[in-house]
Amino acid sequence: MVDVPVLVCGLGGMGSAALAQCALRGVSALGVEQYAPVHAFGSSSGKSRLIRRAYFEDPAYVPLLDRAYELWRELETRTGSRLLHLVGLLTLGYEGSPMLAGARRTALAYDLDVSFWDAREIRARYPALAPHDGEVGVFEPEGGFVVPETAIEAHLALARDGGAQMRFGVGMRSWESRADGIHVTLTNGETLRCERLILALGAWFAQTLADLGVPLVIQRNVLAWFTPTHPLGPREMPAFLLDRRGLPAEFYGFPDVGDGVKAAFHGYGETTDAHHLDREIHEADVLPLARAFNAWIPGAAGAYREGKACMYSLTPDRHFVVDLHPRDERVVVCGGFSGHGFKFASAIGEIAAQLAIDRATPHAIDFLSFARF
């Protein structure tokens, strides 16, 4: 039996960050991942993930976002990687839109650096965009996106440089609390014993959370990239979140930085599970995205390039679960990131390491605890 002080199961966005943070603290840690490094089978991929502070979901996320920005910048400095692309972010919708109201509320509560634009001002600043009369927006100059694959690579490199060990191609089958430690059985039949266990399993968390009374819905969401009919780089369009009447869900996307423009509906798709996700991209997936994109930015969806099926791990209230396991405080649970969690990965990694090593964190995460369920 192999003994290790801290074991991290899952080395996607959250797990790679947690492993790096353990290594930075000088704690001997091992990470295991069922797939190869920086794989595309979970939720931590897709070339770009929005990052923003005017958080419509809940103002309580803003302090975590502040820390996430700091840690992303530290990671860039430590590894020489470019992770943050602050191309600006426009959140817009009709008057009365819950998304727009939430973004405004958060921006005002924290006195964030934002501008409030009506449709005329949006057209003046970005002539390529086609807001409807009556649509209004919140523009964040420091919004934009994080590159998930590069971020995971950087965290794994930082973990490796700090002495952490990693095993790929082998995952966790089960774990058991015992007096002498947490016994973890791997998919190859090997058993590890650890003093602390960090679970960062993504969509594979469904059964773990269900056992604790937290139903986790896994949703298939399709991302699509297009070649526009005219240049649509960061000068022509910002990253965006659009709540428009007639669309099936909020619509978001990114300017062209080399791979075409990208768009997706937020939280819209069929229910599935991690083992039965339909990874094929169908015409019925792409056409609604192309129509919505061309209506919002004429010519954006000039030609389809590629698509990807992503998994949202949705909790009942769409907020994360980051807490000590209620039945064993030696186990840290990080899951249910509900399609909006990746931007927080740098901060979640720090919190997970703090909970594992100190069983406490200075960050205000009560609203993410099991106690709310």
Side-chain angles (χ1 to χ4, degrees), residues 218-249:
I218 307 303
Q219 186 183 71
R220 177 182 181 267
N221 283 257
V222 172
L223 325 170
W225 288 260
F226 300 90
T227 299
T229 60
H230 53 89
L232 284 176
R235 290 186 178 184
E236 290 78 26
M237 63 172 283
F240 67 85
L241 272 163
L242 172 64
D243 190 3
R244 175 169 282 179
R245 289 189 175 97
L247 295 181

Side-chain angles (χ1 to χ4, degrees), residues 18 27 72 96 108 143 222 228 288 292 297 299 301 325 336:
V27 174
W72 287 129
L108 294 172
V222 172
I297 307 175
H325 195 289

Side-chain angles (χ1 to χ4, degrees), residues 17-290:
L19 189 67
Q21 287 291 335
C22 288
L24 284 174
R25 285 161 173 74
V27 174
S28 178
L30 169 66
V32 298
E33 165 59 54
Q34 63 179 321
Y35 296 111
V38 199
H39 63 85
F41 299 110
S43 300
S44 295
S45 59
K47 305 178 186 178
S48 50
R49 292 303 180 88
L50 290 179
I51 188 164
R52 53 196 165 89
R53 280 193 175 93
Y55 221 64
F56 70 84
E57 291 86 348
D58 196 314
Y61 284 102
V62 174
L64 296 182
L65 283 162
D66 289 341
R67 183 57 177 155
Y69 270 90
E70 291 174 355
L71 288 169
W72 287 129
R73 290 186 170 112
E74 285 182 17
L75 186 60
E76 286 182 322
T77 299
R78 288 177 183 274
T79 63
S81 303
R82 187 181 179 196
L83 307 172
L84 289 172
H85 295 253
L86 303 183
V87 297
L89 188 138
L90 180 63
T91 300
L92 74 156
Y94 56 91
E95 284 289 358
S97 155
M99 185 182 78
L100 184 64
R104 280 174 166 169
R105 180 177 65 250
T106 298
L108 294 172
Y110 283 91
D111 193 24
L112 300 179
D113 178 18
V114 303
S115 298
F116 299 101
W117 294 344
D118 61 18
R120 179 186 57 81
E121 290 170 306
I122 292 169
R123 294 187 197 107
R125 286 165 171 81
Y126 290 101
L129 309 185
H132 291 172
D133 291 339
E135 289 180 336
V136 291
V138 178
F139 180 75
E140 301 179 57
E142 283 215 336
F145 63 92
V146 182
V147 181
E149 292 87 351
T150 308
I152 294 170
E153 287 174 350
H155 273 135
L156 293 178
L158 190 61
R160 190 178 299 109
D161 290 346
Q165 301 296 309
M166 301 170 217
R167 296 189 191 177
F168 295 96
V170 60
M172 183 191 73
R173 178 176 295 159
S174 63
W175 63 273
E176 181 182 2
S177 297
R178 295 187 185 180
D180 65 342
I182 309 297
H183 289 235
V184 177
T185 302
L186 303 181
T187 52
N188 64 0
E190 183 181 3
T191 299
L192 308 178
R193 180 172 59 195
C194 58
E195 298 171 19
R196 301 285 189 271
L197 174 63
I198 297 174
L199 297 175
L201 304 175
W204 288 265
F205 236 135
Q207 189 58 53
T208 298
L209 293 183
D211 291 344
L212 295 170
V214 183
L216 195 67
V217 173
I218 307 303
Q219 186 183 71
R220 177 182 181 267
N221 283 257
V222 172
L223 325 170
W225 288 260
F226 300 90
T227 299
T229 60
H230 53 89
L232 284 176
R235 290 186 178 184
E236 290 78 26
M237 63 172 283
F240 67 85
L241 272 163
L242 172 64
D243 190 3
R244 175 169 282 179
R245 289 189 175 97
L247 295 181
E250 291 93 354
F251 186 59
Y252 70 96
F254 307 84
D256 186 357
V257 292
D259 295 302
V261 289
K262 172 187 168 185
F265 291 117
H266 176 55
Y268 177 73
E270 63 200 26
T271 298
T272 183
D273 63 66
H275 303 287
H276 298 94
L277 173 69
D278 179 7
R279 298 188 183 276
E280 293 288 325
I281 304 301
H282 310 281
E283 185 178 46
D285 295 319
V286 177
L287 287 180
L289 292 171

Side-chain angles (χ1 to χ4, degrees), residues 14-15 23 35 40 64 78 84 163 196 202 291 304-306 314 369 372:
M14 306 304 170
Y35 296 111
L64 296 182
R78 288 177 183 274
L84 289 172
R196 301 285 189 271
R291 283 195 294 266
Y304 172 70
R305 293 173 66 135
E306 62 177 310
L314 301 169
S369 73
R372 73 186 195 267

